[in-house]
Amino acid sequence: MIFQALPPDWQEALKSEREEPYLAELEAFLDSERRLNTIYPSKENVFTALKLTPLNRVRVVILGQDPYHGEGQAHGLCFSVLPGVKPPPSLVNICKELRDDLGIPMASQGYLTPWAEQGILMLNTVLTVQAETPLSHRNRGWERFTGAILEQVNQLDRQVIFLLWGSPAQKRAETIDAEKHTLLKAVHPSPLSAHRGFFGCRHFSAVNRLLEEQGAPPIVWTLPE
C-alpha cells in the first residue's frame, strides 16, 4: 500500500489523503504497471525523499518533475543518481553552477543523499516512471499527492526556501505562501535551457545566506567522492 510505505511522520501529516479515491486508483495503476513493465525507482525507493527528510526538518525544497527513466538512475530524490552511475546532463549542469557559485569542484558522482540529510526535501512532482518513457506516469494521481506534500510544507510556521527550476516547478509552487516562504526561480538546468538563466542564478549561495539570516547552519553542498 502506498500509504503504509510512508515514514510515520509523513503518514500523520498526510492522513487526510489516506481514504481519497485517487490514491486507490493510483495504487491499482502502479500494481498493473509493475506487472507489465519495468518501473523506476524500485518500489522501496519511491519515497526516499520523505524518508531522508522528515517534515519537521525541511529547510529547503528542490522540486523536480519525474524520475530519471534510465536503468539504475532514479532512487527517489529529484536530480540524484545512485553511486557509480554517470551523472545525467542536468545534474552535470547543477554541479557546474555549484562550482561557479561557491567554488566547489565538480563532483565525479551525483548521489545527493547528503543534501537530503541536511533538510533539503528533494521532491519530484511525479514519483514513478516507466523505463525509457519519460512522463509516462503523469496525470495518474501523483501530482495531487505531491501537491498535498507541498501544502504541508507551506503550512509550516517558519520560512522554507524553495528552489524552482523550470516552468513546471514554478507552476506547481503557485499555491506556496510567498510572504512566509522564499521562492528562488530559474530556468531548468537541462542543456536545452541552462544557458538561458540557470547558469549564474547563484541559488546555492543564496540559500546559505538566507539560512544564516535565520540563524540556521548553512548547507554543506560539497559531495563526497
Side-chain angles (χ1 to χ4, degrees):
M1 295 289 288
I2 286 175
F3 212 84
Q4 280 66 34
L6 295 171
D9 66 316
W10 283 105
Q11 282 192 32
E12 175 62 24
L14 298 168
K15 60 186 178 183
S16 64
E17 302 298 302
R18 185 170 192 158
E19 303 302 327
E20 292 291 335
Y22 83 89
L23 209 55
E25 294 168 6
L26 173 60
E27 186 147 23
F29 167 73
L30 291 174
D31 287 345
S32 174
E33 280 285 271
R34 289 192 175 102
R35 286 194 300 270
L36 298 172
N37 301 300
T38 299
I39 303 303
Y40 300 131
S42 62
K43 196 170 185 178
E44 62 270 19
N45 283 335
V46 170
F47 296 121
T48 298
L50 302 183
K51 292 173 181 176
L52 291 177
T53 314
L55 179 59
N56 65 4
R57 292 189 59 226
V58 175
R59 303 196 287 156
V60 180
V61 175
I62 299 179
L63 195 56
Q65 194 163 357
D66 73 335
Y68 294 126
H69 52 84
E71 183 178 1
Q73 293 179 314
H75 67 105
L77 297 181
C78 67
F79 294 108
S80 180
V81 292
L82 289 167
V85 176
K86 181 181 178 181
S90 292
L91 182 51
V92 171
N93 285 341
I94 290 170
C95 292
K96 286 180 179 178
E97 177 60 20
L98 260 177
R99 177 196 63 195
D100 296 344
D101 186 8
L102 291 172
I104 294 173
M106 291 285 291
S108 61
Q109 55 87 22
Y111 186 54
L112 306 183
T113 292
W115 294 1
E117 291 172 338
Q118 295 177 75
I120 302 180
L121 179 61
M122 305 186 64
L123 184 69
N124 281 312
T125 55
V126 174
L127 298 186
T128 56
V129 69
Q130 183 180 323
E132 308 301 334
T133 314
L135 300 176
S136 50
H137 289 183
R138 181 173 52 179
N139 298 326
R140 291 290 185 169
W142 279 132
E143 292 92 342
R144 180 168 170 181
F145 187 74
T146 55
I149 293 170
L150 290 174
E151 178 54 27
Q152 289 301 311
V153 176
N154 185 47
Q155 290 179 17
L156 291 172
D157 59 359
R158 52 185 170 80
Q159 182 190 48
V160 175
I161 305 161
F162 289 79
L163 300 186
L164 306 173
W165 298 334
S167 56
Q170 291 164 23
K171 186 171 181 60
R172 286 304 308 273
E174 287 177 351
T175 59
I176 300 299
D177 182 354
E179 296 293 321
K180 178 168 58 173
H181 304 296
T182 299
L183 280 57
L184 301 179
K185 300 178 182 180
V187 299
H188 195 275
S190 160
L192 297 175
S193 57
H195 64 283
R196 291 191 275 110
F198 181 76
F199 292 138
C201 70
R202 302 184 67 84
H203 278 181
F204 304 104
S205 59
V207 165
N208 281 356
R209 184 171 61 254
L210 289 162
L211 289 173
E212 288 169 346
E213 288 172 359
Q214 298 175 28
I219 301 296
V220 178
W221 296 104
T222 305
L223 295 172
E225 294 298 325

